Amino acid sequence: IYYESHGTGFPLVFAYGIGGNTTEWEPQIPVFSQSYHFIAWDPRGHAQSESPPNANQYTQEVFAQDLEGLLDYLGIDQAYVGGLSMGGGIATRFTILHPERVAALLIFDSFSASGLETPPENRRMREEIIRLTETEGMLAVAEYAMKNNPNISQTASLGKEQENLIRQMYLALDPVGYAHSTRMILNAVFDASLLEGIKVPTLVLAGQEDGALPACRFIHEKIKESKLVVIPDAGHLSNLDQPVAFNHAVLEYLASVDQIRVAPG
């Protein structure tokens, strides 16, 4: 498992969405690392982490075990844990399995954290992505996603720089790991009622134009006393679309949790 470590302070551990990697947190690294020990990690099958060969080596629970192993390796007993999209799903499952290790949960633009069933049109799109991954390669997947995946196309439409960033994101992937990770997202089974058992402080954040916003509202309703933030003029990759607003919302929330966490008694 590949990870990067930035700054000092209380640990803040994030994973990106499917197809992403640690470089997708570049607008956050210099800001978050001023106040926290910011750790960005690549789940298995992504970028610089290993890509096991078999599909059964990819489940949300296995990804959560990888996060547990990373925290153990770094000697971290408790942290602020979160992620975007698939990364938010991993963080949510980790919180359900190991609540004592999570000082706060941060869920960004995540459908996979909701336990809701994948809509048929989204399933068809991801099945085509798997086919392209295994037959034509990652450049073909990148071009397809920028035209057909609403999670990606909105950010890609912001300009040539963002389009190139998306293309490089896909080219950093191992086709085997990406195909298996996509299958995992399609086949994941998660009981949404488990969200009601989450008692740690929770921030749910989504871009106003993100197709996952309804799922994030659902998560917010299920997790009692969670906070919901909607970022205007942002899509699924809200941290890239509106980094200033994203950073402000996250740091403001963490500052409020900090006060509770360090309070006497």
Side-chain angles (χ1 to χ4, degrees):
I1 296 297
Y2 174 81
Y3 72 94
E4 294 180 4
S5 182
H6 304 272
T8 59
F10 193 76
L12 173 63
V13 186
F14 284 174
Y16 212 69
I18 188 165
N21 58 68
T22 57
T23 67
E24 310 304 309
W25 297 115
E26 283 184 357
Q28 284 68 54
I29 289 170
V31 181
F32 292 171
S33 62
Q34 289 182 18
S35 303
Y36 300 99
H37 178 196
F38 183 49
I39 299 158
W41 67 287
D42 288 334
R44 63 174 59 200
H46 285 74
Q48 297 185 69
S49 288
E50 291 184 8
S51 293
N54 300 319
N56 63 6
Q57 294 171 290
Y58 296 76
T59 69
Q60 291 277 25
E61 289 70 29
V62 168
F63 280 42
Q65 289 172 9
D66 288 342
L67 175 54
E68 180 186 19
L70 176 61
L71 294 182
D72 288 347
Y73 175 77
L74 295 173
I76 294 172
D77 293 327
Q78 191 178 58
Y80 296 144
V81 175
L84 187 140
S85 196
M86 181 188 74
I90 297 168
T92 300
R93 284 160 178 77
F94 179 80
T95 300
I96 291 167
L97 293 168
H98 306 285
E100 73 286 352
R101 302 196 70 170
V102 181
L105 170 63
L106 301 101
I107 303 169
F108 310 132
D109 302 283
S110 183
F111 186 93
S112 64
S114 69
L116 297 172
E117 187 173 348
T118 302
E121 64 275 12
N122 188 285
R123 177 172 289 276
R124 285 191 293 269
M125 181 263 294
R126 294 201 181 276
E127 287 172 348
E128 175 62 10
I129 283 175
I130 293 170
R131 187 191 72 78
L132 287 170
T133 301
E134 295 180 332
T135 59
E136 298 186 31
M138 297 315 303
L139 184 58
V141 174
E143 300 304 328
Y144 175 85
M146 287 192 284
K147 291 186 179 70
N148 299 284
N149 184 348
N151 291 350
I152 300 299
S153 58
Q154 182 164 348
T155 299
S157 70
L158 295 175
K160 287 293 182 183
E161 183 179 348
Q162 293 294 70
E163 184 180 312
N164 188 56
L165 180 71
I166 297 294
R167 192 174 286 110
Q168 294 306 314
M169 180 183 86
Y170 280 104
L171 290 176
L173 291 165
D174 180 303
V176 171
Y178 182 62
H180 287 331
S181 297
T182 304
R183 286 192 182 92
M184 176 200 70
I185 290 290
L186 288 179
N187 299 325
V189 177
F190 175 49
D191 183 355
S193 67
L194 294 173
L195 294 170
E196 298 171 4
I198 294 177
K199 306 300 182 186
V200 304
T202 301
L203 172 66
V204 184
L205 179 151
Q208 192 169 32
E209 311 303 324
D210 183 14
L213 177 56
C216 288
R217 293 191 187 279
F218 174 82
I219 294 167
H220 168 59
E221 291 170 1
K222 287 287 186 181
I223 302 178
K224 189 177 180 182
E225 298 182 9
S226 63
K227 180 178 181 179
L228 176 67
V229 173
V230 179
I231 303 291
D233 301 316
H236 189 62
L237 310 184
S238 60
N239 73 305
L240 298 177
D241 294 351
Q242 297 293 339
V244 174
F246 179 95
N247 294 350
H248 174 76
V250 172
L251 289 176
E252 184 178 58
Y253 183 77
L254 290 180
S256 69
V257 180
D258 284 339
Q259 290 183 332
I260 299 170
R261 182 176 56 79
V262 302

